[in-house]
Amino acid sequence: MNILDDLKLQYKTGGMVQKLIFWNIGFFLFSLVFFYSFSVGKFQIPTWIALSSDLGTFIRTPWTLITFNFFHGGFLHLIFNLMVLHFSGRLFNTYFTDKQLFGVYVLGGIFSGITFVISYIFIGKAGLLVGASGAIMAILIATATYAPFMLLRIPLIGIVKLWHVAFVILLVDLIQMPLDNTGGHLAHLGGALFGFIYIKLLQSGTDITKPFSALLDGFANLLKPKKKTPFKKVHRNTTKNGVNSFQENKDVTQKQIDDILDKISKSGYDSLTKEEKEFLFKAGK
């Protein structure tokens, strides 16, 4: 199996966290090709992708409330966000579904973007925002609100509670807010606020991510190939061994697939052996 096939298999078998990581990396590579200025030495992402705090520009490009969440202003910005996304997303999936995670990511990003636009109206100067930080903060704080006393083992630090991690990250944003990128840090806090509100609404019986679950289901059904079932004359094999051997082979193959998928959900794709990856790739064709 070559690297491309391996990546395809990881994308296909991975959960929503892995898919979001792939999407963010893909859009970063796209922006590197089209929006990176080597003469200036930085990205120049246009206002039809980046979120503008200028009210007139924002009204003309409302879709940027979503697009800005998938682009980043630098490699370190991307790497840090993906590390936190992997960490917080895995914790979120301990209690909630992939569809809920996607909903919190998108809605948290939108909420953080609105916070950014409103904050700059009061600050009185225009700016542009890119990055998934607000959306990721929504996922982290949602998990910390739901399970604040979850124990985590952090290298060089030891065992801490999840709310300790969330508190430190929020504190860093609060400390940096008056120093630089005020609107950006307010956007992070806006995403955090959404994560808190989401859990409180969920605990009262309202899941505001349900429309995103329906959207994902509809999209999946749209992409699912329709199987044609032409009439075929079937000759029944009356021999007991023929029927049983076919069914047994089918059951064994399905059991192997189920075992491998269970292993991925527990230990991740990288825990698979080369033979298991090959088998899963061939079974998926």
Side-chain angles (χ1 to χ4, degrees):
M1 185 190 304
N2 59 40
I3 295 176
L4 184 59
D5 289 336
D6 194 35
L7 290 174
K8 286 180 180 177
L9 185 58
Q10 286 191 49
Y11 182 84
K12 185 177 180 180
T13 58
M16 183 53 65
V17 174
Q18 192 144 322
K19 285 180 172 60
L20 286 171
I21 290 174
F22 270 74
W23 296 346
N24 276 278
I25 292 174
F27 283 116
F28 180 79
L29 294 176
F30 174 85
S31 63
L32 191 63
V33 173
F34 293 100
F35 306 136
Y36 188 80
S37 174
F38 288 93
S39 59
V40 180
K42 64 179 182 179
F43 287 93
Q44 294 182 326
I45 298 178
T47 54
W48 53 270
I49 288 179
L51 179 64
S52 174
S53 62
D54 176 73
L55 199 56
T57 304
F58 169 68
I59 292 173
R60 290 193 300 272
T61 57
W63 60 84
T64 55
L65 273 176
I66 295 177
T67 57
F68 88 92
N69 292 289
F70 294 93
F71 288 84
H72 291 79
F75 181 72
L76 292 179
H77 187 200
L78 173 73
I79 291 298
F80 178 78
N81 273 350
L82 294 189
M83 287 172 60
V84 180
L85 173 59
H86 183 269
F87 167 77
S88 57
R90 297 297 181 189
L91 296 180
F92 185 93
N93 278 145
T94 305
Y95 305 102
F96 307 107
T97 66
D98 270 349
K99 293 174 184 177
Q100 287 173 309
L101 187 145
F102 179 71
V104 171
Y105 182 94
V106 175
L107 289 175
I110 291 173
F111 198 90
S112 71
I114 292 172
T115 305
F116 171 77
V117 174
I118 293 174
S119 69
Y120 266 97
I121 290 174
F122 291 102
I123 292 173
K125 58 181 180 179
L128 294 176
L129 180 66
V130 290
S133 303
I136 296 168
M137 188 72 83
I139 295 171
L140 175 63
I141 299 303
T143 312
T145 303
Y146 186 80
F149 301 109
M150 175 190 281
L151 296 178
L152 305 171
R153 185 183 297 276
I154 298 179
L156 304 178
I157 296 177
I159 297 176
V160 297
K161 295 181 175 67
L162 179 56
W163 77 264
H164 294 154
V165 177
F167 176 77
V168 169
I169 293 176
L170 287 173
L171 184 62
V172 170
D173 267 316
L174 288 170
I175 292 172
Q176 290 182 336
M177 189 166 56
L179 304 176
D180 183 40
N181 190 22
T182 302
H185 292 297
L186 282 171
H188 299 171
L189 296 177
L193 178 61
F194 174 83
F196 175 80
I197 293 172
Y198 170 72
I199 293 300
K200 292 304 177 183
L201 287 174
L202 190 65
Q203 289 173 334
S204 67
T206 303
D207 186 355
I208 57 178
T209 63
K210 278 188 175 179
F212 287 91
S213 298
L215 179 67
L216 287 176
D217 288 337
F219 189 68
N221 291 332
L222 187 65
L223 294 179
K224 189 181 295 182
K226 294 182 180 179
K227 295 183 178 179
K228 295 182 180 180
T229 55
F231 174 78
K232 291 183 179 179
K233 187 175 180 180
V234 178
H235 298 277
R236 179 174 299 193
N237 188 343
T238 56
T239 61
K240 183 177 179 182
N241 290 338
V243 175
N244 284 349
S245 62
F246 173 78
Q247 187 61 43
E248 285 173 4
N249 288 338
K250 186 177 179 182
D251 291 342
V252 169
T253 301
Q254 187 58 49
K255 186 178 184 305
Q256 286 178 288
I257 293 173
D258 292 340
D259 290 342
I260 292 173
L261 292 178
D262 286 340
K263 187 174 180 180
I264 292 174
S265 65
K266 291 177 182 177
S267 308
Y269 177 81
D270 292 335
S271 64
L272 299 183
T273 63
K274 182 180 178 181
E275 290 74 18
E276 288 171 331
K277 290 179 183 179
E278 291 281 359
F279 175 82
L280 196 59
F281 178 72
K282 290 176 181 176
K285 286 186 175 181

